[in-house]
Amino acid sequence: MDWAATNGRSTDALAEKQMELKSKELQTAPLRGLDKRVEEARSQMLAFYDKRIPPNYSSISDRVGELQVKSGVRMSRLQYTQNPPGADLTEISLDAGISGTYPQIMHFINSLERDQTFLSFAPWPLPANRGDW
């Protein structure tokens, strides 16, 4: 004899358990493959770091120098200030003395803002008088 025949309420109990199982399957469906998605996110994060985060100060200086040459500005100094380390990243502020024509300076600033190496920018303090450029 099978289990359903031995108990009169077994059919109802079986149907209830099947519904409960279906409900649990639907609830856990979004978690299926989570381990693969986490691993993919980790590899994407590492690729982002490799592509966008300079490994040392000289890499930053080299890139700023390339953009300086392309824009035509003249740089008199470049100074780094490292802020306290964060959980994953550390903010490094750059202070540079640049000179050139207004279009050259704007081209330089735009190229820095759009470059893959630099992630964030604070407001740029520019002299009010264009004669100071």
Side-chain angles (χ1 to χ4, degrees), residues 111-129:
S111 64
L112 284 173
E113 289 176 336
R114 292 187 177 115
D115 195 78
Q116 292 289 308
T117 305
F118 307 104
L119 298 178
S120 174
F121 287 90
W124 294 85
L126 296 174
N129 183 356

Side-chain angles (χ1 to χ4, degrees), residues 1-11 14 18:
M1 255 198 215
D2 69 348
W3 185 76
T6 60
N7 189 341
R9 292 178 294 188
S10 61
T11 306
L14 179 60
Q18 287 175 336

Side-chain angles (χ1 to χ4, degrees), residues 76-110:
S76 59
R77 65 180 168 73
L78 180 62
Q79 179 180 351
Y80 305 96
T81 304
Q82 182 173 324
N83 294 342
D88 291 322
L89 299 174
T90 301
E91 180 181 341
I92 299 172
S93 300
L94 302 178
D95 182 27
I98 58 172
S99 60
T101 65
Y102 179 79
Q104 289 172 326
I105 292 172
M106 288 301 103
H107 180 64
F108 178 67
I109 291 171
N110 286 335

Side-chain angles (χ1 to χ4, degrees), residues 4-130:
T6 60
N7 189 341
R9 292 178 294 188
S10 61
T11 306
D12 292 340
L14 179 60
E16 184 179 323
K17 292 294 182 189
Q18 287 175 336
M19 285 178 36
E20 185 179 334
L21 175 62
K22 191 67 170 168
S23 172
K24 297 292 183 191
E25 287 175 348
L26 291 173
Q27 289 174 359
T28 59
L31 300 176
R32 290 192 189 109
L34 184 63
D35 55 336
K36 293 175 186 159
R37 291 186 294 201
V38 167
E39 195 55 43
E40 181 182 344
R42 281 191 183 124
S43 66
Q44 289 173 348
M45 182 180 70
L46 291 174
F48 174 84
Y49 283 176
D50 288 343
K51 182 179 178 182
R52 301 279 311 261
I53 308 299
N56 49 41
Y57 286 132
S58 64
S59 299
I60 297 169
S61 178
D62 290 347
R63 188 63 187 142
V64 170
E66 291 169 9
L67 298 175
Q68 170 206 346
V69 170
K70 279 176 87 173
S71 66
V73 298
R74 290 169 302 287
M75 190 174 329
S76 59
R77 65 180 168 73
L78 180 62
Q79 179 180 351
Y80 305 96
T81 304
Q82 182 173 324
N83 294 342
D88 291 322
L89 299 174
T90 301
E91 180 181 341
I92 299 172
S93 300
L94 302 178
D95 182 27
I98 58 172
S99 60
T101 65
Y102 179 79
Q104 289 172 326
I105 292 172
M106 288 301 103
H107 180 64
F108 178 67
I109 291 171
N110 286 335
S111 64
L112 284 173
E113 289 176 336
R114 292 187 177 115
D115 195 78
Q116 292 289 308
T117 305
F118 307 104
L119 298 178
S120 174
F121 287 90
W124 294 85
L126 296 174
N129 183 356
R130 284 192 189 184

